[in-house]
Amino acid sequence: MAGAISDFSANEVPSLCSRLGLRTGDRDESFKSKFKYAERRLFEKSAAELIPIAVRLLEEVDSYNLSEALAKLQETGQATVTELTRRRIMALFDKRPYSTEFEEIDFIRRIWPTGRMLSVFENVATEQTLDDDLFNAIVRNNDWNNRETLEAVGYLTCSQRQFFRFLEEVTSPLTQSREVQAELAAAVNEHLRHDGCQLIIIRRLSGSPVYEVRPAIVGSPADDAISQALAAFDTDTVHARWIQALDRRDADAEGAITLARTLLEDVCKWIIFEAGESYEEKDDLPVLYRKLAKILNLAPDGHTEPVFKQILGSCQSVVESLGSLRNKIGDAHSPGPKKVKPASRHAQLAVNLSGTMATFLVSTWATNKKG
């Protein structure tokens, strides 16, 4: 903060400090050392008193360093995303670009003011900035990988506000193609949820979701159990679909209902394929489930015990109802003028039922394979 104040002229520093609520002084003291003039007065204030001073100072200067220092002060005592989670999310970009729509350096510039940040190298020209470093390392020489670039801009140590800005920008529809955006948001949320945060859809831009980091809505213990079962079965497709459904369950009811059905379709197709049987691409969920029920011996007609016939018949009804619900109020078809708009409770019901059924099918298949 003293550095930002000392950027003003010696004549201006006393009046600036006065406007900020700091102890007044004379110009002679300021002319001796602007930095020390400000530092002495700042040391007289508590951390709590420094926050409104920094806010007022930012109204007069544009300083990334000061903005970061203020954000970290304001975040003191709050729940934070750990360095481990930041590193896990950073690892998502080890084998993928930050953006499908921007060059790497242009994407970084959208988040960090690299032209006003100091070079990370010692013994370089004083006018060299971090932007010069990035241009040399990314554009000219291709020396840095994505991990090294993020470390250079301070990704691991920046304020949580700045970290969230990165997450929201990297999952923006302006930054990613539609296919990559949904998959990346789900992958980020898989790590964020451990620290009580999640990316949720807050609005749409030309039909594409716009995400914002918010405190995670605490789910049920069943969510974790289902996640573990589906991750063990297939991480890349089935588990990713489940995470996407969870992410949308409270913020995008129509999308969540569509994903609930798609999750069951994925599970049915995977097990049918692993069983060496076949299906048609045109097969809808009820048809897929009937084929799978024969493979897993889940058809009600295959059992004589009344209670099992009733339970398995109910399972079949759940699957058929999920397909019907998705057709009626999901986002897979044109809404039309009379379409019912689902509430979050409808999405919760659909996603929870789908996850439970998917887990049951996966577990049954695992048991059958063991003989």
Side-chain angles (χ1 to χ4, degrees), residues 52-286:
I53 293 174
V55 171
R56 289 197 294 271
L57 181 56
L58 281 171
E59 294 174 356
E60 305 209 24
V61 299
D62 181 13
S63 170
Y64 172 74
N65 289 337
L66 177 58
S67 177
E68 275 291 278
L70 174 60
K72 290 179 180 180
L73 270 176
Q74 293 172 325
E75 292 165 5
T76 301
Q78 297 180 5
T80 58
V81 174
T82 66
E83 180 184 342
L84 179 58
T85 293
R86 292 193 187 203
R87 288 187 178 277
R88 286 171 172 169
I89 292 174
M90 181 166 64
L92 296 175
F93 302 97
D94 283 348
K95 296 182 180 180
R96 75 164 88 204
Y98 305 121
S99 169
T100 60
E101 309 303 307
F102 294 107
E103 295 294 334
E104 290 182 16
I105 192 169
D106 293 328
F107 169 75
I108 292 295
R109 287 167 175 164
R110 292 172 66 87
I111 306 168
W112 281 276
T114 55
R116 293 186 282 113
M117 297 171 69
L118 296 177
S119 168
V120 297
F121 298 109
E122 298 179 356
N123 302 320
V124 295
T126 55
E127 66 272 11
Q128 182 163 323
T129 66
L130 179 58
D131 197 72
D132 297 319
D133 297 344
L134 292 173
F135 183 82
N136 290 331
I138 297 176
V139 179
R140 181 174 294 168
N141 301 321
N142 195 26
D143 289 335
W144 287 354
N145 57 33
N146 288 347
R147 185 181 293 262
E148 291 169 320
T149 299
L150 287 178
E151 289 176 347
V153 297
Y155 165 91
L156 292 174
T157 57
C158 66
S159 67
Q160 186 153 279
R161 181 194 63 185
Q162 183 70 7
F163 173 63
F164 287 173
R165 182 181 176 189
F166 167 79
L167 296 181
E168 291 162 4
E169 191 66 40
V170 83
T171 56
S172 165
L174 296 175
T175 302
Q176 307 293 354
S177 65
R178 183 184 294 268
E179 297 77 13
V180 172
Q181 184 196 24
E183 185 272 331
L184 179 58
V188 169
N189 274 339
E190 178 66 11
H191 299 300
L192 271 185
R193 67 185 181 88
H194 296 294
D195 292 333
C197 297
Q198 65 178 349
L199 284 164
I200 68 166
I201 299 171
I202 58 167
R203 60 186 177 89
R204 290 188 176 271
L205 178 64
S206 299
S208 295
V210 176
Y211 292 94
E212 186 173 289
V213 180
R214 297 278 180 85
I217 298 173
V218 179
S220 67
D223 290 349
D224 289 334
I226 293 171
S227 291
Q228 292 175 15
L230 298 185
F233 176 69
D234 176 69
T235 300
D236 294 335
T237 302
V238 174
H239 182 251
R241 194 84 69 188
W242 165 247
I243 295 300
Q244 290 172 3
L246 286 181
D247 292 342
R248 296 192 183 188
R249 186 171 55 183
D250 295 292
D252 179 13
E254 293 181 5
I257 289 170
T258 297
L259 285 166
R261 171 172 171 165
T262 306
L263 171 65
L264 280 179
E265 289 175 342
D266 286 337
V267 169
C268 289
K269 289 179 178 179
W270 272 94
I271 298 177
I272 292 171
F273 174 78
E274 288 189 2
E277 302 293 335
S278 62
Y279 58 86
E280 301 292 333
E281 287 300 325
K282 65 180 181 180
D283 290 347
D284 60 9
L285 179 56

